[in-house]
Amino acid sequence: MRALFIIQGEGRGHMTQALALSQILTEAGHEVTSMIIGTNKRREVPDYFKQKSDAKVHTVVSPNFFYDKGKKSINLWKTGLVNGLNIPQFLGQLRKINKIVKSEQPDVIINFYDILAGLYFGIYKPKVKRICIAHQYLAEDSSFPFAEGSPLQKRCFLLTNKLTSLNAHKKIALSFRNIKPDSKTLTIAPPLLREEIFNLTPSKGDFILAYVVNPGYAYDLMEWHKQNKKIRLHCFWDNLDQKDEWSPWKNITFHHINDQKFLNYMKDCMGYVSTAGFESICEAMYLGKPVMMIPVEKQYEQACNALDAVKAGAGITNHHFVLDPFLKYLSTHETEAKKFKHWMGLNKTIILEALEAPVVSPTKKLTLKTRPTFSQFSSILNS
């Protein structure tokens, strides 16, 4: 089976999933021919991904989030407006994707939650197996805990799920917990974690590890640490304006993103503090590390992720990078590592069965021309 991946480049999680699945497919005798990654002016394909991918890597300009002035929360209106104005450019990127697909002639296209890929499935209807993989699709199962009090954000979250999976044959939802799906159209599978984590031997060090995806949260963490300078913190961020291993003062160090270095700190930390993504929380659970999650403001899926991870026994949540509640929690945390590792052990079987099984054509098909127009693109967004 020849597979082609299309990957959302926002954050690092979907790229990590793609590398993990590529290894699983290769070991099973399949081939990943190319990986197409969505990028923009403020995010590029990280070096570690290029180094670890044996497949050809292509980039396309894709929709992305825009943040407020404090670089903490998502500005929904700006995100919608700017991406809407860039629709003509995105149409050109769909043609680029179609050209790559025609050249590669894959048997299956796997979308890691990229909106352009969903639109490509919906508009071009490539005559190959079309699979979508993401934790977010767990929202289709009744077990998923929706966060309260954000009806507009919830609608945007569900709309994104829809746009990324238009005309897909199958959706695979990655889950913290072993859940029996209540929908025949959904496969629930263990997380896709990088192979390196399975060879680590965790120990309990004397520092807390933090990952601050937005620079605004790093400054919040520094404000807290000014009053708690005896606590050792190692933080990872992608702020290249500061040098690597920058220490504004004693006992707090900021590292540039480096996947192997991050895992080495993860295995030795006494606890992990992060925004409420998915992959790094799963890595912490696998290593038996307690977690405190701070969902990115106005990013609804992260609020849901945090609730889901708490149900799975990962740790606690907070609204700010203030670590006092976490320091109290560390002594009471009971690890769920054994249960989580058993769930992870089912990973290859469940995912390969889902990918290799015959597919049923989607019940709803879009009947659009091969070269979409602006009005056709808009009709999909409003459908």
Side-chain angles (χ1 to χ4, degrees):
M1 183 168 66
R2 290 167 52 83
L4 183 147
F5 292 178
I6 306 179
I7 309 158
Q8 184 198 124
E10 187 79 29
R12 299 292 186 270
H14 299 289
M15 287 183 277
T16 299
Q17 293 168 12
L19 289 174
L21 183 59
S22 177
Q23 188 164 11
I24 290 173
L25 290 176
T26 301
E27 289 175 355
H30 304 300
E31 178 189 4
V32 179
T33 62
S34 290
M35 299 191 186
I36 302 173
I37 304 182
T39 62
N40 58 50
K41 290 181 179 179
R42 66 177 180 81
R43 72 172 193 258
E44 297 180 352
V45 180
D47 290 336
Y48 79 85
F49 185 88
K50 297 175 184 177
Q51 293 165 1
K52 293 192 174 185
S53 172
D54 294 328
K56 289 176 284 187
V57 176
H58 307 271
T59 60
V60 291
V61 179
S62 64
N64 65 103
F65 293 118
F66 290 88
Y67 295 89
D68 62 13
K69 292 182 179 179
K71 296 184 178 180
K72 294 181 185 178
S73 64
I74 292 173
N75 186 324
L76 289 176
W77 298 110
K78 184 177 180 180
T79 296
L81 177 62
V82 175
N83 287 320
L85 292 174
N86 285 333
I87 285 177
Q89 182 182 26
F90 298 149
L91 293 175
Q93 299 303 291
L94 292 181
R95 291 191 285 273
K96 180 178 179 180
I97 291 173
N98 192 49
K99 185 176 180 180
I100 295 170
V101 170
K102 285 186 173 181
S103 173
E104 298 289 344
Q105 296 187 336
D107 302 301
V108 57
I109 302 175
I110 302 173
N111 177 23
F112 293 84
Y113 210 63
D114 188 80
I115 288 180
L116 274 188
L119 294 173
Y120 175 69
F121 288 172
I123 294 172
Y124 284 85
K125 301 187 292 295
K127 297 185 183 303
V128 299
K129 190 186 296 186
R130 302 180 292 275
I131 308 292
C132 295
I133 297 179
H135 171 61
Q136 288 88 338
Y137 299 128
L138 196 62
E140 295 186 14
D141 194 83
S142 61
S143 66
F144 188 74
F146 286 104
E148 297 181 355
S150 304
L152 176 59
Q153 293 175 37
K154 180 178 179 181
R155 290 185 66 182
C156 290
F157 169 54
L158 294 176
L159 176 62
T160 303
N161 280 3
K162 180 180 179 181
L163 291 177
T164 58
S165 60
L166 287 170
N167 214 21
H169 291 112
K170 183 177 294 185
K171 283 172 273 189
I172 300 175
L174 304 177
S175 173
F176 294 115
R177 298 170 288 135
N178 189 346
I179 302 167
K180 185 177 179 180
D182 52 22
S183 169
K184 293 182 179 180
T185 62
L186 189 70
T187 296
I188 297 179
L192 285 163
L193 302 184
R194 42 193 154 178
E195 190 72 19
E196 295 90 333
I197 199 165
F198 305 130
N199 300 320
L200 296 177
T201 301
S203 64
K204 187 175 181 180
D206 62 351
F207 65 91
I208 291 174
L209 175 65
Y211 173 57
V212 282
V213 63
N214 300 331
Y217 291 127
Y219 303 128
D220 287 351
L221 195 56
M222 284 189 279
E223 284 298 313
W224 177 85
H225 195 260
K226 284 180 182 178
Q227 309 303 318
N228 300 271
K229 291 185 177 180
K230 292 183 179 180
I231 305 297
R232 290 188 64 210
L233 292 179
H234 283 280
C235 315
F236 282 76
W237 64 352
D238 58 3
N239 183 2
L240 300 182
D241 293 334
Q242 294 288 355
K243 66 179 182 179
D244 191 19
E245 299 191 0
W246 173 63
S247 293
W249 51 80
K250 187 178 178 181
N251 285 340
I252 183 170
T253 304
F254 286 86
H255 307 265
H256 290 169
I257 297 295
N258 179 300
D259 64 327
Q260 191 56 56
K261 186 178 180 181
F262 177 83
L263 286 181
N264 287 334
Y265 277 98
M266 173 76 84
K267 77 178 179 64
D268 294 329
C269 71
M270 61 179 173
Y272 177 54
V273 177
S274 173
T275 50
F278 182 69
E279 274 66 36
S280 67
I281 305 301
C282 292
E283 290 168 347
M285 292 176 69
Y286 187 87
L287 295 171
K289 304 295 181 178
V291 174
M292 184 173 80
M293 295 157 284
I294 300 91
V296 173
E297 293 177 30
K298 298 181 183 178
Q299 191 161 337
Y300 182 78
E301 70 177 74
Q302 289 220 351
C304 299
N305 282 354
L307 294 176
D308 198 20
V310 169
K311 285 182 74 172
I316 62 173
T317 65
N318 199 0
H319 296 296
H320 307 284
F321 275 87
V322 174
L323 307 192
D324 301 273
F326 190 51
L327 293 174
K328 293 179 181 178
Y329 172 76
L330 286 175
S331 62
T332 64
H333 174 77
E334 295 183 6
T335 179
E336 298 282 345
K338 187 174 181 180
K339 182 192 295 185
F340 189 75
K341 286 182 177 181
H342 175 73
W343 173 225
M344 284 296 304
L346 304 175
N347 185 303
K348 294 180 181 179
T349 300
I350 293 176
I351 289 180
L352 284 174
E353 283 182 356
L355 291 177
E356 294 171 346
V359 295
V360 178
S361 296
T363 55
K364 290 184 178 180
K365 290 189 176 181
L366 297 172
T367 54
L368 299 177
K369 296 178 181 179
T370 301
R371 285 177 91 82
T373 65
F374 183 92
S375 61
Q376 290 169 336
F377 189 97
S378 300
S379 70
I380 290 178
L381 294 176
N382 294 322
S383 66

